[in-house]
Amino acid sequence: MDKVEVFCTSVHDMFYPVLSSTLTKLAVFFPLLLWPDKVGKFMQYIPITIILTLTGSLIMALVFIPTLGAIFGKPSITSKKEIIRMSAIESGEVKNTGLIIRTYVRMLEKVLDHPKKFVCVVVCVLFLSSILYFTFGPRLKFFPNVDSDNILISVKVKESLSAKERDLILKKVEERILGIEKEIYVFYAQSGKFSDNVIAKIQLELVDWRCRRKAKQILNDIRSSVQNIKGVIIRADEKQEKRG
């Protein structure tokens, strides 16, 4: 056969196997592009890179390699043993092929004798493995909730107060919060006129997490210690750290 005819024939024979194998891999990575939030932004470069690489390899295999082969291709020097093996594969004489191909052909014959049963078994195994994974999986979080080192406290009143009255209320709140001073590394308080009738803000930076309780436990103590101040609404929350 002429080399142009050889590569046209090979592309014709291998088009669907190469295309289906590549599309199978692409089908795995396309859903990763739909990941939302920070995880999606962080991970999107991996599926994009793989999809572009597989698409490029498909074009390379089906277009550029045959074209280059038709231009620069030369007959390969093949041993007699290899010629016998290739002839056996083309003619279906399994005895003259290698051990791996013989094993594969025998397994394939058994599968093709019962194709419906094989498809049902594969589908059942796929669904069963998914159910087992989501039931007994590791349950790991990619971005777990990390214990915060900062606490924000806002002091709110319903009526308008003078600067002196605001300072007095702030001092009361400070005195009650300082009962846990051993777990506070930085204490910053500010009084003034803020939005939504907030008259004071307190920011706490806690000591190293290895030397204190969890932030939620400290928050519960702060909330219980300041809840009895009359005419004041106090809100204490963890400061969420920005990631990404």
Side-chain angles (χ1 to χ4, degrees):
M1 296 174 68
D2 181 72
K3 58 183 179 180
V4 175
E5 186 180 358
V6 168
F7 280 99
C8 288
T9 304
S10 63
V11 170
H12 180 271
D13 293 340
M14 296 303 298
F15 177 79
Y16 288 108
V18 173
L19 179 64
S20 60
S21 63
T22 305
L23 291 179
T24 303
K25 298 181 181 73
L26 290 176
V28 175
F29 291 98
F30 265 115
L32 299 182
L33 296 174
L34 305 178
W35 257 357
D37 302 328
K38 297 177 182 177
V39 179
K41 292 181 181 179
F42 180 78
M43 297 291 291
Q44 67 179 353
Y45 299 102
I46 296 176
I48 289 174
T49 303
I50 294 175
I51 289 170
L52 291 176
T53 303
L54 289 175
T55 303
S57 67
L58 179 65
I59 297 173
M60 190 74 181
L62 297 179
V63 179
F64 289 101
I65 295 297
T67 303
L68 294 174
I71 299 173
F72 303 106
K74 295 180 181 180
S76 60
I77 301 173
T78 308
S79 63
K80 291 183 179 181
K81 185 178 180 180
E82 186 68 19
I83 293 174
I84 294 172
R85 191 181 71 83
M86 292 176 65
S87 300
I89 292 173
E90 291 180 357
S91 61
E93 297 177 3
V94 183
K95 295 181 180 180
N96 295 328
T97 58
L99 177 63
I100 297 176
I101 295 179
R102 286 203 303 269
T103 305
Y104 167 70
V105 170
R106 289 169 185 170
M107 181 191 71
L108 192 60
E109 287 176 349
K110 293 180 180 180
V111 170
L112 294 178
D113 288 339
H114 308 281
K116 294 182 180 179
K117 292 182 180 179
F118 177 73
V119 171
C120 290
V121 169
V122 171
V123 173
C124 290
V125 170
L126 177 63
F127 279 101
L128 182 61
S129 61
S130 301
I131 293 171
L132 290 175
Y133 176 80
F134 287 109
T135 305
F136 304 103
R139 300 182 183 277
L140 298 177
K141 291 184 178 180
F142 193 80
F143 285 121
N145 293 324
V146 181
D147 196 28
S148 178
D149 291 330
N150 296 282
I151 293 176
L152 294 177
I153 302 169
S154 61
V155 183
K156 183 178 179 181
V157 295
K158 295 181 179 179
E159 66 276 3
S160 179
L161 300 176
S162 64
K164 186 176 181 180
E165 289 174 324
R166 291 196 298 265
D167 289 339
L168 289 174
I169 293 175
L170 179 57
K171 285 181 180 179
K172 287 182 181 180
V173 177
E174 289 178 0
E175 289 173 357
R176 299 197 180 189
I177 293 175
L178 287 175
I180 58 168
E181 58 182 348
K182 293 181 180 179
E183 296 176 296
I184 299 174
Y185 180 66
V186 176
F187 189 106
Y188 176 77
Q190 181 183 10
S191 66
K193 289 185 178 181
F194 303 96
S195 59
D196 298 328
N197 292 330
V198 176
I199 63 167
K201 290 183 178 181
I202 301 173
Q203 182 171 344
L204 307 179
E205 183 178 340
L206 304 178
V207 298
D208 190 88
W209 62 272
R210 289 167 290 190
C211 305
R212 60 171 171 82
R213 296 171 296 163
K214 290 186 176 180
K216 289 184 178 180
Q217 295 175 338
I218 298 174
L219 268 174
N220 291 332
D221 287 351
I222 292 174
R223 288 165 181 162
S224 61
S225 64
V226 299
Q227 65 181 355
N228 295 325
I229 302 177
K230 295 182 180 180
V232 177
I233 301 172
I234 298 176
R235 180 176 178 178
D237 297 294
E238 291 184 54
K239 183 180 179 182
Q240 299 297 327
E241 301 294 336
K242 294 182 179 181
R243 296 172 186 165

